[in-house]
Amino acid sequence: MILPPLSLYIHIPWCVQKCPYCDFNSHGVDRLKGATDTPHEAGLPEQDYIKALMQDLDADLAGVQDRKLTSIFFGGGTPSLFSPEAIEQILQGVEQRIPFTDDIEITLEANPGTVEQARFEGYRNAGVNRLSIGIQSFDPAQLKRLGRIHGRDDAIRAAESARNAGFSRFNLDLMHGLPNQTEAEALADMQQAIDLQPDHLSWYQLTLEPNTAFYQAPPPLPDDDTLWEIQQAGQQLIATAGYHQYEVSAYAKTGSEARHNLNYWQFGDYLAIGAGAHGKISWPTAGGGLEIVRTSKQRHPKQYLNAVDYISQRTALEPAELPVEFLMNALRLKEGVDESLYPQRTGQPLSSLSPELKKLQEMGLMELGTGRLKTTDEGFIYLNAVLETFLSSE
């Protein structure tokens, strides 16, 4: 049995403040002060957290199974609140435990309000070779509504500083469908992002998630017709600028697709350390199959820092769950995946999908006979309907 590629996700759970739309496991810095007895840098217990990360990783090392890491992703929260020295210490600790591939991709999420060029240079020297910069919008009024701590000039300066610091690969993260946003305003945001010449763009619609301030007090969002017009016009603008859509919300110059995210969508394996981090590991079984196990770690930073067992939940997926688990990832890719990946990554024969695939082909939502598991263009638009077909068959 050939195991999937292996990645590592590292969660840094702190932000300067919680944004009203955010449902990620993030915690304002001020809430953490006093959580430990050690000195903090900018209110953060860097050394305590690094120690916990390494202990967490040590407990997960059996899942490596003689593989090298192909990618590392620092997500949050706001990882750029951690000093370059702390990021370097983490990467050194990881490499002492797990070997890296020669071309490993190491991404760090950064917010424009927490970085300057010297800090970017420090991250580059620490081993980070790709950045994902959380812009969200260049419109000052929208940034204020979204609770962002940066302004338009900060966002532009962050992208320019990333390039000046030697990052040839960086993503700009944008949202559309913002409160009262017009098509012209959304396109102006995208054009400004394109002008900064990143090699990768993430562009996704604002949604109101439970347990967020926006969900409790919804802002006035554009109607469905306006949202559709924004998406159609925005995708045309992005394509004209030379970016291809390879995933539902991701666009890249040729060869600049995010390898870490591709591993997720291709149902690869990933260790995950840090407060609230979620991982997935495949384990060979005695019968030649696979057991796929998902884990989640202690969610609150204080609990995580004081943990004896970092895992809060461990779930082995049932065979009946695997079709949807695989497809809800793979079909997010515009070109889908080679159909041989399904038996490799799930241990199940492709024939187990046949009834549903044939039904979806008849509905014009899936392409068959191409050697790939891939939706039609219409199926890509109505991806939730495609997945519902498999959910209803469980």
Side-chain angles (χ1 to χ4, degrees):
M1 179 63 67
I2 300 174
L3 289 174
L6 181 67
S7 297
L8 173 65
Y9 175 76
I10 302 173
H11 193 73
I12 309 294
W14 296 291
C15 289
V16 173
Q17 63 185 27
K18 183 79 170 179
C19 295
Y21 60 86
C22 178
D23 70 335
F24 295 130
N25 184 33
S26 59
H27 304 262
V29 171
D30 287 343
R31 293 179 59 189
L32 182 76
K33 292 180 179 178
T36 70
D37 296 328
T38 58
H40 302 155
E41 175 177 318
L44 300 177
E46 284 190 342
Q47 289 306 308
D48 286 356
Y49 198 69
I50 293 170
K51 180 180 178 181
L53 287 173
M54 294 303 105
Q55 291 173 341
D56 187 358
L57 184 58
D58 284 338
D60 280 354
L61 289 180
V64 174
Q65 302 174 83
D66 297 321
R67 290 174 287 182
K68 294 183 177 181
L69 285 178
T70 62
S71 66
I72 298 173
F73 194 99
F74 287 89
T78 306
S80 54
L81 285 175
F82 265 37
S83 67
E85 293 77 15
I87 298 299
E88 181 175 25
Q89 191 176 344
I90 293 168
L91 289 174
Q92 288 176 347
V94 172
E95 191 170 18
Q96 288 169 5
R97 291 162 171 81
I98 312 172
F100 294 178
T101 58
D102 292 339
D103 63 345
I104 188 170
E105 175 190 270
I106 303 177
T107 303
L108 181 131
E109 288 186 337
N111 283 345
T114 63
V115 289
E116 65 283 332
Q117 186 166 327
R119 206 165 176 91
F120 277 149
E121 290 170 352
Y123 295 134
R124 181 74 180 166
N125 293 335
V128 176
N129 54 28
R130 183 176 180 272
L131 294 173
S132 182
I133 305 174
I135 303 294
Q136 313 313 349
S137 177
F138 292 94
D139 184 321
Q142 291 290 7
L143 289 171
K144 184 175 181 179
R145 292 188 190 102
L146 295 173
R148 307 298 287 173
I149 63 171
H150 67 270
R152 174 186 175 86
D153 291 345
D154 297 319
I156 293 171
R157 187 162 48 248
E160 293 172 342
S161 295
R163 180 174 289 104
N164 292 338
F167 285 96
S168 59
R169 299 194 63 205
F170 66 92
N171 168 65
L172 297 184
D173 213 23
L174 290 175
M175 293 195 296
H176 62 90
L178 304 179
N180 291 320
Q181 189 178 48
T182 65
E183 178 183 330
E185 290 168 343
L187 295 182
D189 265 355
M190 179 52 66
Q191 186 60 61
Q192 177 60 78
I194 290 169
D195 290 345
L196 292 169
Q197 300 181 345
D199 69 322
H200 191 284
L201 290 163
S202 297
W203 193 54
Y204 53 95
Q205 182 182 323
L206 171 64
T207 56
L208 304 184
E209 302 291 349
N211 302 316
T212 66
F214 272 3
Y215 189 82
Q216 300 301 321
L221 300 181
D223 60 35
D224 288 344
D225 288 341
T226 301
L227 290 172
W228 177 253
E229 290 165 0
I230 287 174
Q231 182 154 326
Q232 293 299 105
Q235 289 181 339
Q236 180 60 52
L237 178 61
I238 294 168
T240 300
Y243 299 85
H244 71 276
Q245 183 181 19
Y246 70 96
E247 190 264 340
V248 170
S249 303
Y251 307 78
K253 298 285 188 179
T254 300
S256 289
E257 299 83 0
R259 277 182 273 155
H260 187 86
N261 290 344
L262 280 175
N263 191 44
Y264 285 161
W265 309 140
Q266 293 169 351
F267 215 52
D269 279 357
Y270 45 96
L271 297 170
I273 59 175
H278 291 257
K280 168 195 169 285
I281 294 294
S282 303
W283 297 91
T285 63
L290 286 175
E291 180 184 54
I292 296 173
V293 177
R294 292 195 181 277
T295 57
S296 59
K297 302 299 173 67
Q298 298 290 342
R299 182 174 175 83
H300 195 279
K302 189 171 183 178
Q303 294 173 336
Y304 182 82
L305 285 165
N306 295 321
V308 175
D309 181 359
Y310 293 98
I311 293 179
S312 64
Q313 186 172 5
R314 182 184 187 277
T315 305
L317 298 180
E318 296 293 334
E321 297 177 286
L322 289 175
V324 171
E325 286 282 337
F326 180 89
L327 292 172
M328 71 188 298
N329 288 282
L331 296 184
R332 285 184 64 95
L333 294 170
K334 184 77 170 174
E335 296 303 318
V337 298
D338 190 294
E339 61 186 24
S340 66
L341 212 60
Y342 180 75
Q344 287 177 20
R345 302 285 161 90
T346 67
Q348 296 191 8
L350 187 63
S351 59
S352 65
L353 300 177
S354 295
E356 291 79 14
L357 290 178
K358 184 171 179 56
K359 178 180 178 181
L360 289 165
Q361 181 189 38
E362 293 170 352
M363 295 169 64
L365 300 177
M366 287 288 295
E367 293 183 5
L368 298 185
T370 65
R372 300 187 70 79
L373 290 170
K374 179 182 182 298
T375 65
T376 61
D377 289 344
E378 184 177 4
F380 195 66
I381 294 171
Y382 298 107
L383 186 55
N384 286 342
V386 172
L387 296 175
E388 282 292 333
T389 301
F390 292 95
L391 282 168
S392 62
S393 67
E394 285 187 9

